[in-house]
Amino acid sequence: MTRLNALRAFVLVLLLAFAGLAAAQANLEINTPAIAALQRSMQERHAQLQPLYASGAVGLTRDGNVALRDANAVPLAQRAQVNALVAAENQDRAALYREIARANGKPEWESDIRATFAQRWIDKAQPGWYYQNASGAWVRK
Amino acid sequence: MTGTAGWRIAGVTLACVLAGCVTINIYFPAAAAERAADRIIDEVWQLKPDAVKPKTDKPAATP
C-alpha cells in the first residue's frame, strides 16, 4: 500500500516536472523595434560580407563575432573598408545580444545569448566559410 | 521497509526535480534562445526561400 503511494508520488512528480519543462520552453521576445532595426542593418551589410566569408578573408569567431581572418585575401586598397565592415558588424551583433536580453527583462542573459548565437551562426554557415573552433583555431567548414 | 525505501526514493526524486525546475527558471532557456537565434539568423542571412527578395535595396557603402 505505502509502496503504491510512493509510486503515485513518483508519477505525480514526473508530471509536474514535464509541466515545468513545457513552461520553460516558451519563446524569447525578439519582436521589438530595436531588434528589428539591428536585423535590417545586418541583413543589408551581409551583401558585402558574404563574398568575404566565401573568400576566407572574414571568419566567424567562437564568441559570436566576425573577424578579419586573412588580410592577404583582401586587396590592400580595400582593407580599411573591410575592417570598418567587420567593426560595424560586431557593433550590431553586440547590440543585438544586449537587446534580446533586455527585451526579455534579463540583461544577465547577454553572454548566454551571445554563446547561443555563436554556435548557431557557425551551424548555419555555408560550406567553405571559416569559423573558430572551441580552442580558437580557424577551421574551414 | 520497502515502503520506507519507496518514499525515500520519491523524496529524493522530488528534490532533484525541484532543483531542476529552479535551475531551468533561474538559468538560461537554451532551447528558446536557439529558436530565437535561428529566426534572426535566417532573416539576416536570407536562408529561408520566402525571405529571399529581389535585389532592390542596395546599401550605399562605397565612399
Side-chain angles (χ1 to χ4, degrees):
Chain A
M1 188 61 188
T2 45
R3 217 172 160 182
L4 188 67
N5 279 340
L7 190 69
R8 274 187 194 144
F10 184 74
V11 169
L12 188 71
V13 159
L14 277 186
L15 284 176
L16 282 173
F18 282 120
L21 211 61
Q25 296 302 305
N27 285 330
L28 288 192
E29 172 64 72
I30 53 171
N31 297 319
T32 71
I35 292 170
L38 287 164
Q39 232 171 313
R40 246 191 333 273
S41 153
M42 292 167 78
Q43 189 187 313
E44 281 173 14
R45 192 179 300 108
H46 183 61
Q48 294 162 277
L49 279 172
Q50 194 160 21
L52 297 166
Y53 294 138
S55 72
V58 173
L60 306 167
T61 67
R62 58 182 165 168
D63 61 354
N65 279 337
V66 297
L68 186 65
R69 191 199 131 262
D70 181 10
N72 293 326
V74 183
L76 197 59
Q78 288 170 26
R79 239 167 254 177
Q81 195 198 342
V82 169
N83 276 324
L85 212 55
V86 166
E89 174 71 8
N90 287 337
Q91 209 169 3
D92 274 359
R93 287 184 176 211
L96 176 71
Y97 306 146
R98 193 171 52 242
E99 278 304 320
I100 295 172
R102 227 170 52 87
N104 288 277
K106 298 266 193 252
E108 69 272 20
W109 282 357
E110 185 182 331
S111 63
D112 288 307
I113 287 168
R114 176 180 280 275
T116 305
F117 268 83
Q119 190 55 53
R120 297 310 288 159
W121 289 119
I122 291 169
D123 289 346
K124 285 174 170 280
Q126 284 172 24
W129 293 9
Y130 282 85
Y131 67 92
Q132 267 179 341
N133 66 15
S135 51
W138 288 109
V139 180
R140 189 163 191 261
K141 194 167 170 184
Chain B
M1 186 63 182
T2 48
T4 319
W7 275 113
R8 198 169 292 158
I9 291 169
V12 169
T13 310
L14 180 65
C16 289
V17 166
L18 286 180
C21 285
V22 168
T23 304
I24 285 167
N25 285 334
I26 289 179
Y27 293 102
F28 185 60
E34 216 165 273
R35 284 196 302 274
D38 285 354
R39 290 225 301 281
I40 289 174
I41 294 170
D42 286 349
E43 182 77 20
V44 169
W45 280 356
Q46 303 279 280
L47 297 178
K48 287 284 158 71
D50 56 323
V52 177
K53 289 169 215 153
K55 283 183 186 172
T56 47
D57 49 342
K58 217 176 178 186
T62 37

